[in-house]
């Protein structure tokens, strides 16, 4: 069984999709920790309600001291001894030193069809570009932001009248399909990208 820690910053709907899938039969992974940089992240209570250990390390008291924040965040993570680290709406940029520690075993979900639109405001940027489709990507985390090897993508059409909000909601449904499917494959050593319609 692979031990999985999940890092979140918000509501944690992707985290829940991962936890629900791991709770279903025959899964190669077991969740060992949900951690957040925001003690108020809604996902923490949802994970705790499912009996998953949680940790919160508020990044704000650390100011610009990223290394200090990460050293504090590492404590519960290392104690949980994860094999795989999943970023699920984790909105802090991690230092190369942190990323190196989990090289080859850290995944992220990003709400665009990478390499298009790394960073923020992905849906607005897709709309402004006049794109016909949007989607989401699960990728391995490397030191370059949103640029690691792609492990899976799911696509959705952009419809007339779409707003960033309506598009985000359509993409999110696909995120919840894609991330659990990619995590299962990754845990079994499968890194050929999974392309969902
Ligand atoms: C998701 O749409 C995820 O793709 C995005 O944040 C949202 C988190 O929602 N992640 C990023 O933008 C990472 N740069 P959730 O907390 O409900 O899973």
């Amino acid at each position: 069984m692979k031990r999985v820690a999940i890092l979140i910053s918000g509501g944690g709907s992707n985290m829940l999709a991962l936890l629900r899938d791991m709770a279903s039969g025959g899964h190669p992974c077991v969740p060992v920790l949900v951690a957040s940089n925001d003690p108020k992240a809604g996902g923490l209570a949802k994970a705790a309600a499912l009996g998953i250990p949680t940790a919160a390390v508020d990044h704000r008291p650390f100011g610009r001291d990223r290394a200090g924040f990460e050293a504090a965040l590492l404590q519960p993570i290392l104690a949980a001894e994860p094999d795989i680290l999943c970023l699920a709406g984790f909105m802090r940029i991690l230092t190369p030193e942190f990323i190196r520690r989990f090289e080859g075993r850290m995944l992220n979900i990003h709400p665009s069809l990478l390499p298009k639109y790394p960073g923020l405001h992905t849906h607005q940027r897709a709309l402004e570009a006049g794109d016909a489709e949007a989607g989401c990507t699960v990728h391995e985390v490397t030191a370059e932001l949103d640029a690691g090897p792609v492990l899976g993508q799911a696509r959705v059409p952009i419809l007339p009248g779409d707003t960033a909000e309506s598009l985000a909601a359509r993409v999110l449904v696909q995120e919840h399909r894609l991330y659990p499917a990619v995590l299962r494959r990754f845990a079994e050593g499968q890194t050929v990208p999974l392309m969902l319609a």
Side-chain angles (χ1 to χ4, degrees):
M1 281 294 239
K2 301 277 189 201
R3 298 168 64 83
V4 174
I6 305 174
L7 300 189
I8 63 169
S9 296
S13 70
N14 277 289
M15 170 211 75
L16 268 188
L18 292 174
L19 293 180
R20 287 199 178 116
D21 197 47
M22 282 188 262
S24 65
H27 202 289
C29 299
V30 59
V32 293
L33 177 71
V34 171
S36 176
N37 63 295
D38 180 356
K40 294 209 172 84
L44 286 173
K46 295 175 195 163
L50 292 174
I52 313 301
T54 63
V57 178
D58 193 343
H59 67 277
R60 286 166 296 190
F62 292 93
R64 292 178 179 202
D65 178 14
R66 270 186 204 276
F69 163 64
E70 288 181 356
L73 182 65
L74 262 179
Q75 287 186 23
I77 295 175
L78 293 181
E81 299 185 338
D83 300 301
I84 299 172
L85 206 51
C86 289
L87 308 184
F90 184 70
M91 303 306 280
R92 306 300 300 169
I93 291 178
L94 294 164
T95 64
E97 291 71 33
F98 186 99
I99 291 167
R100 207 170 297 128
R101 219 175 234 282
F102 297 100
E103 200 171 344
R105 51 202 190 101
M106 178 158 32
L107 311 185
N108 179 45
I109 187 152
H110 183 77
S112 79
L113 294 171
L114 290 172
K116 277 191 164 183
Y117 317 127
L120 298 174
H121 310 301
T122 52
H123 305 299
Q124 191 58 40
R125 288 154 72 196
L127 290 172
E128 282 167 9
D131 291 354
E133 60 175 8
C136 52
T137 303
V138 177
H139 63 94
E140 265 184 58
V141 177
T142 57
E144 196 184 341
L145 183 70
D146 298 330
V150 169
L151 295 169
Q153 289 189 317
R155 321 175 90 82
V156 301
I158 294 182
L159 303 177
D162 256 337
T163 62
E165 290 70 30
S166 65
L167 183 55
R170 192 175 312 119
V171 171
L172 194 60
V173 173
Q174 298 306 313
E175 295 185 38
H176 298 161
R177 281 178 73 212
L178 181 69
Y179 208 173
V182 170
L183 175 60
R184 268 182 191 257
R185 286 160 59 99
F186 185 77
E188 287 164 348
Q190 171 68 271
T191 55
V192 175
L194 173 67
M195 294 299 174
L196 298 181

